Amino acid sequence: MKLRMIAALAVTAALAAPATPVSTQAQPDLGTFAREGVVVSSSDIASDIGAAVLARGGTAVDAAVATAFAMAVTYPTAGNIGGGGFMIVRLPDGTATTFDFRERAPGKSTPTMYLDAQGNINRNLTAAGYLAPGVPGTVRGLAMAHSRFGKMPWRDLVMPAADLARNGFLVSRSLAGGLNREVAGPMKPFPGSVAAYGKPGGGQWAEGDTIVLGDLAKTLTAIATDGPDAFYTGWIADTIEKAMAANGGLITKADLAAYQAKERQPVRGTFLGYEIISMPPPSSGGTALLTMLNMLEALEIQKLPRLSAEAVHLTTEARRRAFLDRARFLGDPDFVEVPVARLISKAHATDLIKTIDPKRASSSVELGKDIVTVPGEESDETTHFSVADRNGMAVSLTYTLEGGYGAHLVIPGTGFLLNNEMGDFNKKPGTTNLTGDIGTPANLIAPGKRMLSSMTPVIVARGSRLVLVTGSPGGRTIINTSLDVVLGVTAWGLTGREAVDAPRMHHQWLPDRLSIEANGVSDDVQATLKALGHDVRVGGTQGSAQTIWVHPNTGAIYGVADRRSADAKASTPTTTPEAQSGAPSGVRR
Ligand code: DON
């Protein structure tokens, strides 16, 4: 744990320590108790900035907006204004809505733009540089959510991020490592990126250095002062268009001006009496999550021991089938007909489980042979945060640049990283192979279309009561991470802390293998799963689920920071530096 976090915890502990211990019994770690709301994110500084907004009476949406802009400064691997994402808002009365600010394909894009002369996918083009980005949606999305549910002035939510960029902030060990790798590697071809993120004067970033992001401060100040139009129609749009045209990129000022965020109805379902609220297309996450939960409810998964071979076998078969549906049917609903209602129906789940053999792993190829064309992944950065305010409004927000640091591209003068989200489209029409490439029509590239996502922000409720707010990064593993956290709390009665700490698993139909986090299941269980025919791979970690959990007996709210992220923190209005020492949140020195 970093020194600054230890110092902050020591202050919290000192303030919270009772004069005489009331009990000598160890209390279970339930997370950070949050009487007045909480922000749980992968950036401690950004969590503090969000919590300071809650302290000033801002709503959960206000806090989410401030946190998202702050993460665009403190967490450049995924926090962004040059990318996109999804937000779910649940109001105290139980109604819910979502905001879709997914990137769109530029007007000049074509279905085969990433194929080389031999018809193979040129992954360099989607990995980095000027052809990789979709038209960013984050700034419009945050503005739309703010206009619906914000209470504080927009400027007051964006300026803390601009100030942070201008005044600088302390680099953590994980940020130093990430920046050093980026600047020496993928950012090297892009002078604007090295100028923005290289250490002034050269050399390596180290924990404790102060990083100042001058151009980003200028851009954020413009957005704070002039609103989202500064980004989409003003000088920032001019700068993007000019650099794109000069470097073979596609995004134009017209693309930026035409970008609109969308408010969409969430997908909703039930699982063992819980209400599940998640993201509709163009994310596949909510639909796949509900399909899996419906199958697992019909299979009475809650009656099996949690990490038993039987339970893991059945959850794997459910994951496999929902991912096959994803490959077959899901895409941007503004462009293709997606049969969401059928896919999330209990009847569909009943049909799907008829093909599950309790004694044998199914073959993914056999199940999907109508779409698999030839024998033949997704990267690992995005970020999720969860917010609740004292009135019971909750926000579940996942946003991303796609790969870590997106396209590794900062257009000179703008200070922010552009996404490489175009790679989420199906890039080779007609080719669906064993390595996980999908070529089905629903997610082919078309001008103005949103690429399919796996981001799965989710909110769980029971009657009028909030139960859980969660989500994760991790490409296609996201859907399974959200499933595992939801199952932990709902099927197996874990606390939020236990469900977040619990081992996670992944199966995405193709490639046909089951990944389990290191130490996730016993050797015996692994052996049984292999005997059933699963290709089991054990190791690593999966996702980062920054979660809010409500105690079922007391109704107390807890922020649960996922320990898999080095800088994660659950901040409440009483734990910010501002509340404790008067220092402004975020500018700790
Ligand atoms: O939208 C998606 O599903 C992906 N672009 C998310 C990428 C991702 O999660 C990478 N991260 N860890």
Side-chain angles (χ1 to χ4, degrees):
M1 193 185 298
K2 295 193 314 296
L3 280 178
R4 60 186 175 157
M5 287 176 75
I6 292 173
L9 290 174
V11 174
T12 314
L15 290 176
T20 41
V22 288
S23 163
T24 50
Q25 274 192 340
Q27 298 292 316
D29 171 11
L30 298 177
T32 304
F33 174 51
R35 199 193 311 275
E36 298 169 59
V38 65
V39 180
V40 196
S41 86
S42 292
S43 162
D44 50 353
I45 297 174
S47 292
D48 283 344
I49 285 180
V53 165
L54 294 178
R56 279 180 229 123
T59 66
V61 168
D62 286 325
V65 170
T67 304
F69 278 111
M71 288 188 86
V73 179
T74 61
Y75 197 73
T77 183
N80 70 80
I81 55 174
F86 302 107
M87 180 194 290
I88 305 174
V89 182
R90 181 179 181 273
L91 304 177
D93 67 3
T95 57
T97 191
T98 77
F99 296 97
D100 162 4
F101 47 100
R102 183 68 163 166
E103 299 92 326
R104 296 174 61 186
K108 288 188 231 157
S109 56
T110 67
T112 53
M113 62 188 277
Y114 297 115
L115 299 184
D116 63 20
Q118 286 72 45
N120 297 318
I121 299 170
N122 181 348
R123 293 185 204 274
N124 294 332
L125 297 181
T126 58
Y130 285 85
L131 272 183
V135 181
T138 297
V139 177
R140 280 264 183 254
L142 296 177
M144 181 182 253
H146 175 257
S147 69
R148 287 276 279 115
F149 299 114
K151 218 161 73 179
M152 284 177 51
W154 170 256
R155 192 174 191 287
D156 294 357
L157 305 176
V158 189
M159 274 316 278
D163 290 344
L164 199 56
R166 183 176 301 105
N167 300 329
F169 62 98
L170 295 184
V171 172
S172 69
R173 181 178 303 186
S174 71
L175 178 58
L179 290 176
N180 290 334
R181 280 190 297 278
E182 275 293 310
V183 171
M187 280 185 181
K188 232 174 165 179
F190 309 113
S193 309
V194 175
Y197 284 106
K199 187 160 171 165
Q204 298 263 307
W205 288 107
E207 178 178 35
D209 286 345
T210 295
I211 185 169
V212 171
L213 298 161
D215 284 343
L216 183 55
K218 197 173 69 174
T219 291
L220 288 168
T221 303
I223 295 168
T225 312
D226 303 327
D229 285 350
F231 188 96
Y232 290 94
T233 60
W235 65 266
I236 302 167
D238 284 333
T239 311
I240 294 173
E241 177 173 72
K242 222 181 268 162
M244 283 279 163
N247 293 282
L250 301 185
I251 298 177
T252 62
K253 215 177 159 185
D255 288 328
L256 287 156
Y259 185 87
Q260 288 188 328
K262 295 217 161 172
E263 185 170 355
R264 298 186 191 273
Q265 284 304 305
V267 288
R268 284 172 182 265
T270 58
F271 177 69
L272 301 177
Y274 291 90
E275 182 190 15
I276 314 292
I277 304 164
S278 193
M279 203 60 217
S283 183
S284 59
T287 305
L289 176 69
L290 288 173
T291 306
M292 292 174 188
L293 287 171
N294 286 337
M295 282 185 262
L296 294 171
E297 185 179 65
L299 292 163
E300 302 193 308
I301 193 72
Q302 75 281 6
K303 295 192 175 158
L304 296 172
R306 186 164 58 91
L307 295 172
S308 62
E310 296 86 337
V312 176
H313 173 61
L314 292 181
T315 54
T316 303
E317 293 304 322
R319 298 177 209 267
R320 185 196 309 279
R321 284 159 178 77
F323 270 91
L324 172 54
D325 275 358
R326 175 188 187 276
R328 268 197 233 277
F329 298 115
L330 290 190
D332 181 347
D334 295 341
F335 282 72
V336 293
E337 185 86 20
V338 187
V340 176
R342 184 173 74 75
L343 297 177
I344 66 173
S345 69
K346 302 280 182 197
H348 181 55
T350 309
D351 281 347
L352 288 176
I353 63 170
K354 284 182 191 148
T355 61
I356 296 178
D357 180 343
K359 297 274 171 248
R360 193 80 216 141
S362 304
S363 153
S364 285
V365 172
E366 193 54 34
L367 275 181
K369 57 178 182 285
D370 55 318
I371 60 169
V372 178
T373 43
V374 282
E377 248 142 88
E378 238 154 294
S379 66
D380 231 23
E381 278 305 336
T382 289
T383 190
H384 174 84
F385 62 85
S386 300
V387 184
D389 66 23
R390 61 172 70 79
N391 299 317
M393 185 190 290
V395 171
S396 185
L397 190 152
T398 315
Y399 73 156
T400 188
L401 291 166
E402 173 24 31
Y405 296 85
H408 312 283
L409 174 62
V410 175
I411 288 178
T414 65
F416 64 89
L417 281 154
L418 282 165
N419 68 84
N420 65 325
E421 217 78 55
M422 288 293 285
D424 277 0
F425 277 115
N426 296 353
K427 294 171 282 293
K428 189 167 179 183
T431 295
T432 296
N433 62 31
L434 301 193
T435 64
D437 286 325
I438 298 168
T440 48
N443 186 36
L444 295 179
I445 303 172
K449 190 173 175 183
R450 285 156 150 89
M451 57 293 286
L452 184 64
S453 173
S454 298
M455 289 188 273
T456 315
V458 54
I459 296 180
V460 179
R462 189 163 189 119
S464 60
R465 186 170 63 77
L466 183 67
V467 171
L468 186 72
V469 185
T470 195
S472 177
R476 289 181 221 182
T477 69
I478 293 172
I479 304 173
N480 286 316
T481 298
S482 286
L483 174 73
D484 288 339
V485 176
V486 169
L487 280 178
V489 168
T490 58
W492 286 301
L494 301 185
T495 67
R497 173 87 267 160
E498 291 166 333
V500 168
D501 288 349
R504 297 174 185 158
M505 293 163 208
H506 178 65
H507 193 293
Q508 60 171 47
W509 175 56
L510 288 172
D512 190 349
R513 63 170 174 246
L514 167 62
S515 314
I516 303 178
E517 280 188 325
N519 305 318
V521 295
S522 68
D523 290 349
D524 282 354
V525 168
Q526 273 184 57
T528 308
L529 289 166
K530 285 178 186 162
L532 289 172
H534 293 285
D535 177 0
V536 182
R537 315 281 173 102
V538 178
T541 64
Q542 179 178 313
S544 178
Q546 310 305 337
T547 296
I548 293 170
W549 173 74
V550 181
H551 197 295
N553 303 333
T554 65
I557 295 178
Y558 292 88
V560 183
D562 192 329
R563 304 186 227 258
R564 293 167 183 81
S565 286
D567 296 341
K569 184 180 177 191
S571 297
T572 74
T574 50
T575 64
T576 61
E578 209 165 56
Q580 296 193 343
S581 67
S585 291
V587 278
R588 282 167 285 157
R589 288 174 179 278

